[in-house]
Amino acid sequence: MKLIAIDLDGTLLSQHTYITQENVQAIRKAQSQGHIVMICSGRAPEDIQEILKKYELSCPLAGSNGTVVQAEGKLLGSVSMSRDNIMQIARKLDEVRTPYRIYTNQGIFVPEDWSERVHTDLQGDTIKVDGLSDDLFRRITEQPQQSDLIKYFHDYNELFGREDLKVQKFFILTLNQQKKSELATYLNNISGAAATSSGPMNIEVMDQDGNKGNALKLVADYYGISMNDTVAMGDSFNDIPMLQVAGLSIAMGNADPAVKQLCKTVTLSNSENGVAYALEQFILKH
């Protein structure tokens, strides 16, 4: 039995953000052969569950970059940020007027002036991403719509005043190169916090113990699987902790070069059913 941890964006999801039938079938085949497939994503657990439900897949998951881990309808573990850290980070992000999302045990919270913050960031040295379509850029930068999962807030002091609120992650949209560099330096110097990135236009901050590697270890322990029998697939920097601890690390063909460098092997890209190809090559019996 293997435990296979798969990232979503840039990995299992195609460049058009859907799961291909080839990938779905490969996951089902792996499960039918007794393997455990888990989804490890920067997305909120609720978001991951909606995606899995759409494709009629049932998997353990690690959401918000591994800070919330669920399996078989149970919460296996969660890692929240300290109040001192969340206050320090929110204060800094308000000071530099940067758009961000706060991932919590009560949903995702977004500053109500998100659009104004985006407009401010677009005035300077804007980050250019090769192959990024105008439509996808619009979707990344537009004001998130309020829903059961996403809520607006006006004052972070009031938001963090809720005693029952637990913060797992800050997702910071970085559109300005200079501001991103300065923020990364600042965030990396906060004791007890860890900054990473899932793409060229963001920084993500969690507690130093909240990552996909620790999530993979937790699920492996739950199912009694040796770490030597774990597999991890990913494409970006927030995947590195799970790629480093897995028995077999697989980088996507579209992965950042630094990610490819540390992995044991490289599969096809997410636009070429790279997940299905890797499962067929390394896991599945024929």
Side-chain angles (χ1 to χ4, degrees):
M1 179 194 294
K2 299 280 189 183
L3 171 59
I4 306 154
I6 306 174
D7 170 49
L8 272 181
D9 293 276
T11 301
L12 183 58
L13 295 177
S14 73
Q15 73 273 36
H16 302 297
T17 64
Y18 64 86
I19 306 177
T20 65
Q21 199 56 40
E22 290 85 350
N23 282 340
V24 171
Q25 289 172 352
I27 288 173
R28 287 182 179 149
K29 188 174 179 181
Q31 291 173 325
S32 73
Q33 293 183 4
H35 303 297
I36 305 294
V37 178
M38 68 178 289
I39 302 300
C40 293
S41 174
R43 294 185 183 229
E46 299 90 341
D47 195 4
I48 300 170
Q49 290 287 16
E50 283 300 310
I51 292 171
L52 293 176
K53 189 184 302 181
K54 180 179 178 181
Y55 295 95
E56 298 181 345
L57 291 170
S58 179
C59 304
L61 64 86
S64 300
N65 276 344
T67 58
V68 181
V69 184
Q70 301 170 351
E72 300 177 345
K74 293 180 281 192
L75 177 66
L76 300 190
S78 65
V79 180
S80 301
M81 302 179 71
S82 72
R83 177 172 173 79
D84 286 347
N85 281 355
I86 63 177
M87 291 296 289
Q88 182 178 349
I89 293 166
R91 191 181 306 117
K92 180 65 174 180
L93 298 179
D94 267 19
E95 178 187 308
V96 298
R97 307 295 300 156
T98 291
Y100 64 98
R101 305 183 189 206
I102 305 169
Y103 286 60
T104 80
N105 63 330
Q106 296 178 25
I108 300 172
F109 291 86
V110 179
E112 61 185 10
D113 61 348
W114 169 281
S115 293
E116 289 86 346
R117 292 169 183 248
V118 167
H119 179 74
T120 299
D121 272 8
L122 290 175
Q123 304 309 303
D125 179 19
T126 307
I127 294 172
K128 302 292 190 295
V129 181
D130 291 341
L132 182 66
S133 67
D134 291 342
D135 179 60
L136 184 53
F137 182 79
R138 177 188 57 77
R139 281 192 281 145
I140 290 171
T141 57
E142 69 184 356
Q143 179 104 7
Q145 294 298 307
Q146 288 202 85
S147 64
D148 290 341
L149 177 61
I150 298 176
K151 301 141 189 173
Y152 296 162
F153 72 94
H154 175 68
D155 180 0
Y156 68 81
N157 287 290
E158 181 180 334
L159 177 64
F160 297 150
R162 304 182 187 181
E163 290 187 6
D164 55 347
L165 186 81
K166 305 293 184 185
V167 174
Q168 278 89 42
K169 184 182 85 165
F170 280 80
F171 175 93
I172 306 162
L173 184 63
T174 51
L175 304 171
N176 180 288
Q177 187 59 62
Q178 181 179 348
K179 188 181 285 188
K180 180 179 182 179
S181 298
E182 292 172 353
L183 269 175
T185 300
Y186 179 85
L187 296 167
N188 277 311
N189 284 316
I190 296 178
S191 177
T196 186
S197 175
S198 58
M201 297 172 67
N202 70 61
I203 300 173
E204 303 186 34
V205 194
M206 297 79 58
D207 181 87
Q208 61 186 3
D209 293 327
N211 60 62
K212 295 184 181 186
N214 285 341
L216 179 57
K217 290 177 182 177
L218 187 60
V219 176
D221 183 64
Y222 177 76
Y223 286 103
I225 298 173
S226 163
M227 289 303 293
N228 289 332
D229 290 323
T230 62
V231 180
M233 277 185 254
D235 71 302
S236 200
F237 294 104
N238 65 329
D239 298 314
I240 287 177
M242 71 174 181
L243 294 168
Q244 287 177 324
V245 300
L248 174 61
S249 53
I250 304 174
M252 300 301 292
N254 53 287
D256 187 280
V259 175
K260 290 181 180 178
Q261 188 75 29
L262 65 85
C263 287
K264 292 181 180 173
T265 190
V266 178
T267 184
L268 300 177
S269 74
N270 67 325
S271 62
E272 301 170 297
N273 301 309
V275 167
Y277 181 81
L279 291 175
E280 290 287 348
Q281 290 291 309
F282 303 109
I283 307 297
L284 299 177
K285 297 174 185 174
H286 300 280

